[in-house]
Amino acid sequence: MAPMKTKSRLHNQRGSLLIVAMIFSAIIAICLTSYIHMIRTSMIVSQRSFFANNCMNVTETGLEQAIDAINNNSWPTSTWTISGANATATFTGFNFGQGATGQVQVYVQNYLTTTPFLVAKGTVTVPNSDKIIKMVEVTGVVNRSLFGKGMVGKQGVTFSGGNASVDAWNSNPTNAAAGTYVPVAYSAATAVAQGSVAAVGVTADVSASNSSISGTASVGGAVTDVIIGPNGYVGPSLTPSPGVIDPNSVAGNFTANLPNATAPTPTTINSPGAISGNTTLPAGGDNINVSDNTYYYSVPSVTEQNKTLTIAAGKKVVLIITAAAGSQALKLGGGSGAISISAGGNLAVYTAGNIDCSGQGIANANGGTPTSMQIYGTATATGQSVNIVGNGGVSAVVYAPNADVSIKGNGDVFGAVVGNTVTMTGGGAFHYDLSLANMNGNPLFQPSKWVELTSAADRATYATQLP
């Protein structure tokens, strides 16, 4: 009978081992199941996070479409539905892979006023999952300055032929209204290392050569498109270190909306014919546009060969030069041709033609206020040229987004410049007036404050406009 006990014992051991193996198998199965579930949950969370980011991008795209419509005053019925003072639109066709699609609905309240109000609702539909919704409310839309940076070239900025320098100062540090403050002049005491140079195009560069940019340089592509020579510098110091680019002072992926400039259309305008010879504006008997207290002139050209165009003290003058694109619109030459702006005077020039301010160039008695001399290139295609010589000192703002702008000389240039390309030749200095970042008076808008609506109660506020 003893062998039978041994056999029974073996059976018991085998049964125990089987039970243990089954327990271990169950534990492994539970662990594998839990691990697979964790991985699946992680994938779902990751996927929804990915699509949530896409949803916010879609929502912001809708806001950009609304801002573009406001800036261009373009509300085609094929896109927008108008109801009284409000406009709505839906933009579709967003595909994110994995079968996910997106759309954005936009609501613009008071769309034709200077105080529009925007709300956008982005939706991403994901197969076999709940929809992802993002809503953004823009509570402030304000005029945007054309001169948010000191020197901007859509297709690049180049310094050549000398050791030029860039820095900044603020002529209106309190942002006071015009006529209510004494402008702060540029000096060594007011200079700050906040100059700014930027190229918009993704293939454009900022080529500083041996010039010093005390401030920042931005490009539409990679930061490696900011190029300096052995004595060049980009950084936050007014005392440059030759050959140094501070990594925190350069940025890539820079974008800017630089719309075409357009000449004003006043109700009262003077047409004296071509201007040449010593001339002072306004002249006796000239008509003033009462609504803005400005003298407007429509002329075919301005040519000052060894002569001077003078803007009288305390007078606002706008010259609309009608010369065609590609032809000469404004020329100062002969060695002493000049534009002279008297104290308190203000001149704005609008033209699609070429501008050549050589000779004695521009003499602006309002050195602390570059806005006293404004040049707007209204060409709608590239090819316009704007040439400014500053062997003494030029204080002005230039906005010519389709022009090749050239600044020459060894003097100081104060203000801001925007062009298709911008070239600074010589050993002069460019001083950006930081107050120009607050310069309004143009029809462009940008959001000043926005908030994401996350609660059901906040979203319900726009349930009718954005169902």
Side-chain angles (χ1 to χ4, degrees), residues 45-102:
V45 171
S46 177
Q47 181 193 54
R48 289 192 67 82
S49 177
F50 170 76
F51 288 128
N53 287 335
N54 285 329
C55 190
M56 180 56 76
N57 290 337
V58 168
T59 305
E60 291 179 348
T61 297
L63 292 174
E64 290 173 359
Q65 292 285 348
I67 291 293
D68 184 70
I70 292 170
N71 284 333
N72 291 286
N73 191 27
S74 176
W75 306 91
T77 56
S78 58
T79 302
W80 294 91
T81 300
I82 307 300
S83 177
N86 308 321
T88 56
T90 299
F91 301 93
T92 60
F94 300 96
N95 297 293
F96 308 110
Q98 304 179 48
T101 59

Side-chain angles (χ1 to χ4, degrees), residues 266-268 288-294 296:
T267 55
T268 302
I288 188 171
N289 196 67
V290 178
S291 62
D292 57 2
N293 199 35
T294 300
Y296 289 88

Side-chain angles (χ1 to χ4, degrees), residues 219-388:
V219 289
V223 294
T224 52
D225 291 327
V226 178
I227 305 166
I228 65 171
N231 293 314
Y233 170 76
V234 180
S237 175
L238 289 171
T239 307
S241 301
V244 171
I245 294 180
D246 174 58
N248 296 317
S249 299
V250 294
N253 301 317
F254 173 74
T255 61
N257 179 19
L258 302 176
N260 295 335
T262 56
T265 55
T267 55
T268 302
I269 193 166
N270 301 281
S271 301
I275 294 177
S276 62
N278 293 320
T279 304
T280 298
L281 295 178
D286 288 348
N287 297 314
I288 188 171
N289 196 67
V290 178
S291 62
D292 57 2
N293 199 35
T294 300
Y295 292 88
Y296 289 88
Y297 298 87
S298 175
V299 299
S301 63
V302 176
T303 305
E304 296 290 26
Q305 289 291 114
N306 295 317
K307 304 295 181 180
T308 301
L309 170 62
T310 301
I311 305 303
K315 302 299 182 180
K316 293 177 62 178
V317 172
V318 173
L319 279 177
I320 302 170
I321 305 177
T322 59
S327 62
Q328 195 72 54
L330 170 61
K331 182 174 179 59
L332 309 178
S336 61
I339 291 176
S340 177
I341 303 173
S342 304
N346 187 291
L347 173 64
V349 176
Y350 292 83
T351 185
N354 297 332
I355 296 174
D356 184 3
C357 295
S358 51
Q360 288 297 311
I362 300 168
N364 184 357
N366 306 278
T369 52
T371 54
S372 295
M373 177 66 208
Q374 303 174 33
I375 296 175
Y376 293 95
T378 59
T380 57
T382 56
Q384 185 179 19
S385 65
V386 177
N387 178 33
I388 298 174

Side-chain angles (χ1 to χ4, degrees), residues 66-67 69-70 75 80 85-89 106-112 116-119:
I67 291 293
I70 292 170
W75 306 91
W80 294 91
N86 308 321
T88 56
V106 187
Y107 168 60
V108 184
Q109 188 179 79
N110 298 323
Y111 74 102
L112 289 179
F117 179 88
L118 316 179
V119 183

